[in-house]
């Protein structure tokens, strides 16, 4: 098990390094000039070149990349001369528009996005796995037909449309809920949950469909296996057979899908934040792309990759616990 964890950790580090190289390459692929963005509109060519020199943009790419990566861990000094700025770790640079530290901007937006993604993930996983397993146990009955129909609805409904419908029904038409806002869960847990329930539902009611279909299919396949029939022949109750034998054997593919859905939910948060007017990481990224503010874009790409890699590692570790053969 220890060797398995070490191998997966090294692979995760290598993946993040590859993503960092790609995201850093985006900096030079977009048609924007950081020196021109930071310089005043009436700057001439000489002033722009001097700004580029002070920012260190004339350094070799390898040097710029190594400085950027080292700054994430130990901090660095950005720029030269009058433009020199001390940037403490984790340093992702400064915004070209506001000259604000990128990490400070991300810290303000990150809790909203993480709260939306985690809340939606809990709801969709509980709903998807629970409904899928119950549908398999009631195959051909009303609950099974309802589950299949609801998953078709979830797969067909666009996120932005469902979010707009929920906002119109529960906020504007009935007034049952207030407009979504973010409150720290450490300050007021009830206000935190109440302010994000609509974004959670708009993501979960669409994302649960795949997990429900997967859980139903794998559970049906497992219930027809020989070891399940043997457990029944031994006189074990249906609850014990379903819970201790069939469910554990069928849950492995669902765990994979559930773990990978965390990355999907982080991407879906971009749409929900825009519809509900929440200031999260997704909305910050969209604004940065529109403004070609590359330090923020690079930082958000790295952060999203880190979340996805970590969630995939957790899934692999759960795999090894559920099915020891995976360690080989």
């Amino acid at each position: 098990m220890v060797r398995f964890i070490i191998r997966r950790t090294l692979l995760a580090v290598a993946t993040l390094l590859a993503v960092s190289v790609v995201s850093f390459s985006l900096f030079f692929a977009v048609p924007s000039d950081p020196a021109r963005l930071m310089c005043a509109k009436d700057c001439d060519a000489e002033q722009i070149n001097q700004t580029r020199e002070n920012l260190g943009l004339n350094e070799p790419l390898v040097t710029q990349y190594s400085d950027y990566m080292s700054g994430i861990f130990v901090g660095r000094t950005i720029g030269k001369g009058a433009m020199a700025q001390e940037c403490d770790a984790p340093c992702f640079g400064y915004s070209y528009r506001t000259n604000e530290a990128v990490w400070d901007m991300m810290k303000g937006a990150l809790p909203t996005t993480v709260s939306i993604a985690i809340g939606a993930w809990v709801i969709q996983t509980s709903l998807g796995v629970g409904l899928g397993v119950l549908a398999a146990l009631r195959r051909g009955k009303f609950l099974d037909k309802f589950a299949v129909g609801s998953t078709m609805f979830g797969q067909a409904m666009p996120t932005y449309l469902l979010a707009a419908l929920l906002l119109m029904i529960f906020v504007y038409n009935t007034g049952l809920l207030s407009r979504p806002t973010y409150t720290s869960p450490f300050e007021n847990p009830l206000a935190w949950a109440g302010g994000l329930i609509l974004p959670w539902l708009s993501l979960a009611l669409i994302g649960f469909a795949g997990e429900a279909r997967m859980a139903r299919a794998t559970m049906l396949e497992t219930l027809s296996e020989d070891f399940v029939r043997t457990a029944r022949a031994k006189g074990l109750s249906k609850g014990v057979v379903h819970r201790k034998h069939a469910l554990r054997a069928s849950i492995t593919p669902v765990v994979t899908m559930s773990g990978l859905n965390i990355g999907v939910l982080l991407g879906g948060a971009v749409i929900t934040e825009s519809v509900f007017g929440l200031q999260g990481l997704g909305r910050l990224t969209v604004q940065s792309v529109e403004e070609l503010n590359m330090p923020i874009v690079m930082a958000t790409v790295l952060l999203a990759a880190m979340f996805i890699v970590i969630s995939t590692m957790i899934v692999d570790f759960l795999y090894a616990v559920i099915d020891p053969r995976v360690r080989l």
Side-chain angles (χ1 to χ4, degrees), residues 184-254:
S184 174
F186 303 105
E187 296 178 2
N188 192 332
L190 291 179
W192 172 73
L196 296 178
I197 186 64
L198 289 182
W200 289 347
L201 291 177
S202 65
L203 287 174
L205 292 179
I206 293 176
F208 90 99
E211 295 185 20
R213 294 174 71 90
M214 176 69 74
R216 178 182 181 274
T218 55
M219 191 67 175
L220 285 174
E221 182 180 355
T222 303
L223 289 174
S224 63
E225 295 288 342
D226 292 338
F227 73 91
V228 174
R229 289 194 291 267
T230 302
R232 289 172 177 168
K234 289 180 177 180
L236 298 177
S237 64
K238 285 187 177 180
V240 173
V241 172
H242 294 161
R243 186 177 63 256
K244 290 189 176 182
H245 296 275
L247 183 59
R248 180 170 182 177
S250 64
I251 203 68
T252 305
V254 183

Side-chain angles (χ1 to χ4, degrees), residues 26-293:
L26 292 175
F27 185 92
F28 302 95
V30 296
S32 66
D33 187 353
R36 188 177 296 276
L37 291 175
M38 295 192 68
C39 192
K41 292 184 178 180
D42 56 350
C43 285
D44 55 27
E46 183 178 353
Q47 291 173 315
I48 293 175
N49 289 331
Q50 184 61 46
T51 302
R52 188 179 294 110
E53 178 69 26
N54 291 337
L55 290 173
L57 298 176
N58 292 334
E59 299 288 340
L61 296 183
V62 175
T63 302
Q64 294 186 49
Y65 174 76
S66 62
D67 290 343
Y68 180 81
M69 293 302 298
S70 63
I72 296 177
F73 299 99
V74 299
R76 60 178 172 136
T77 301
I78 299 178
K80 302 176 182 178
M83 300 189 69
Q85 292 177 292
E86 292 296 330
C87 185
D88 297 329
C91 176
F92 293 96
Y94 288 87
S95 168
Y96 291 150
R97 296 291 182 180
T98 64
N99 201 34
E100 185 179 355
V102 172
W103 178 240
D104 291 340
M105 299 174 69
M106 293 173 63
K107 281 195 301 184
L110 187 59
T112 302
T113 301
V114 172
S115 295
I116 293 175
I118 291 179
W121 178 79
V122 171
I123 294 175
Q124 81 169 37
T125 300
S126 303
L127 183 62
V129 175
L131 190 59
V133 170
L134 291 176
L137 298 178
R138 303 289 189 274
R139 185 178 185 181
K141 298 182 179 180
F142 171 77
L143 182 59
D144 184 24
K145 296 177 181 178
F146 172 78
V148 173
S150 61
T151 57
M152 293 177 64
F153 168 82
Q155 290 182 323
M157 177 67 72
T159 304
Y160 65 86
L161 179 58
L162 180 59
L165 287 174
L166 292 176
L167 189 65
M168 180 181 66
I169 294 172
F170 291 101
V171 176
Y172 297 128
N173 290 351
T174 64
L176 294 176
L177 297 172
S178 59
R179 189 174 180 86
T181 56
Y182 174 77
T183 302
S184 174
F186 303 105
E187 296 178 2
N188 192 332
L190 291 179
W192 172 73
L196 296 178
I197 186 64
L198 289 182
W200 289 347
L201 291 177
S202 65
L203 287 174
L205 292 179
I206 293 176
F208 90 99
E211 295 185 20
R213 294 174 71 90
M214 176 69 74
R216 178 182 181 274
T218 55
M219 191 67 175
L220 285 174
E221 182 180 355
T222 303
L223 289 174
S224 63
E225 295 288 342
D226 292 338
F227 73 91
V228 174
R229 289 194 291 267
T230 302
R232 289 172 177 168
K234 289 180 177 180
L236 298 177
S237 64
K238 285 187 177 180
V240 173
V241 172
H242 294 161
R243 186 177 63 256
K244 290 189 176 182
H245 296 275
L247 183 59
R248 180 170 182 177
S250 64
I251 203 68
T252 305
V254 183
V255 169
T256 301
M257 177 174 287
S258 178
L260 295 178
N261 277 342
I262 295 179
V264 176
L265 289 171
L266 287 171
V270 175
I271 299 175
T272 54
E273 288 169 7
S274 300
V275 174
F276 294 113
L278 295 170
Q279 296 294 332
L281 196 62
R283 199 170 186 188
L284 176 65
T285 305
V286 172
Q287 294 172 350
S288 302
V289 171
E290 293 174 349
E291 298 173 351
L292 295 179
N293 203 341

